[in-house]
Amino acid sequence: MAPRDILQQITGDLRLSLGLLTRLPLPGEPDLTRGAAAAWAWPLAGLAPALLAGLAIWLTSGLGSGLSAALALAVMAMVTGAMHEDGLADTADGLWGGWTAERRLEIMKDSHIGTYGVLALILSVLARWSLLAGLITAGQALPALMAAALLSRVPMVALMAWMPPAREGGLSRAVGQPPLEAAGIGGGVALVLAMALTGSTAIWAALLIAAVAIALGMLAKAKIGGQTGDILGASQQLSEIAALAVLAASL
């Protein structure tokens, strides 16, 4: 493949990933022919909400780390359409709210939120807010946010490549199953860039994220027989917490 064709494929995959994982207004129409093979670029798409959150932190730097962290989380939720937060809430409700795989999937598809979902969101936001506030105080918020954004989206690709969809419909099945190479490329790119941002600490963050993703994948396999878009969203949120925790602990 010619260098120009490679560059066009990379930019097309990134455009498709941004269109899927963010609510940013993008010019033109995405190239849908690559399908799930473009999933390697999902970690790169995560840089968009991270950079905008970093801008929010910079603009509110005189208002205190707590408020800056809250606004940064709000910006990331708006840029992504809170789709990952929604996945976490639905996953918590479904995996702990039903007695059969069919009932759990039904609960996860329901637009209403239950007690488990509310608790999961509260704990997730509190964890990310407290960790981010500490990183802001230490002056390390932007590289940490970018590294966490890169690494936390790798499990989404890996779980899709590793596990079958748990239901016939839904976003996960519509996107398709990425090839294992896509997960490998995405993981490699994310780790290299995260190491450039945060040094060798990124390796420890990646190892903890891998453990979290494997545990979630095994739980989803046991309870619903595979992965869904909600499981993928939950993996991103839990992985982001893991990454920020490691990066904050390294200060």
Side-chain angles (χ1 to χ4, degrees):
M1 185 180 294
R4 182 177 179 181
D5 294 333
I6 294 174
L7 181 60
Q8 287 181 339
Q9 181 174 295
I10 291 173
T11 56
D13 288 353
L14 182 57
R15 166 71 172 78
L16 184 58
S17 299
L18 285 168
L20 178 66
L21 298 181
T22 75
R23 296 296 182 265
L24 295 173
L26 301 172
E29 292 295 327
D31 179 10
L32 302 177
T33 58
R34 289 272 293 162
W40 71 269
W42 288 4
L44 294 178
L47 290 175
L51 287 169
L52 290 172
L55 177 61
I57 291 171
W58 178 72
L59 290 173
T60 60
S61 57
L63 301 179
S65 60
L67 181 57
S68 291
L71 290 174
L73 292 176
V75 167
M76 288 194 290
M78 287 188 290
V79 173
T80 61
M83 64 186 306
H84 306 311
E85 286 85 353
D86 181 69
L88 175 66
D90 287 343
T91 294
D93 279 336
L95 296 189
W96 272 269
W99 293 102
T100 66
E102 292 75 15
R103 178 56 182 155
R104 290 168 186 143
L105 288 169
E106 183 181 343
I107 292 172
M108 291 169 73
K109 191 175 181 180
D110 193 337
S111 60
H112 297 88
I113 186 171
T115 303
Y116 289 118
V118 171
L119 287 173
L121 283 178
I122 291 173
L123 293 174
S124 170
V125 171
L126 281 176
R128 289 183 293 146
W129 174 83
S130 61
L131 292 167
L132 186 53
L135 288 161
I136 291 172
T137 300
Q140 297 297 315
L142 182 57
L145 275 173
M146 293 174 66
L150 287 161
L151 295 173
S152 66
R153 283 161 176 80
V154 175
M156 298 171 65
V157 189
L159 288 175
M160 283 187 75
W162 171 35
M163 300 172 63
R167 61 163 60 98
E168 290 300 319
L171 179 61
S172 177
R173 182 175 286 277
V175 172
Q177 188 170 22
L180 290 175
E181 305 88 77
I185 294 171
V189 169
L191 182 57
V192 168
L193 292 178
M195 289 181 66
L197 290 163
T198 61
S200 60
T201 306
I203 298 175
W204 297 107
L207 290 174
L208 181 56
I209 285 172
V212 169
I214 291 171
L216 178 61
M218 293 175 64
L219 181 64
K221 181 68 174 177
K223 286 187 171 284
I224 59 175
Q227 48 83 13
T228 67
D230 290 328
I231 295 294
L232 303 183
S235 75
Q236 189 281 324
Q237 291 283 280
L238 296 175
S239 296
E240 186 171 277
I241 293 170
L244 291 175
V246 171
L247 294 168
S250 70
L251 297 177

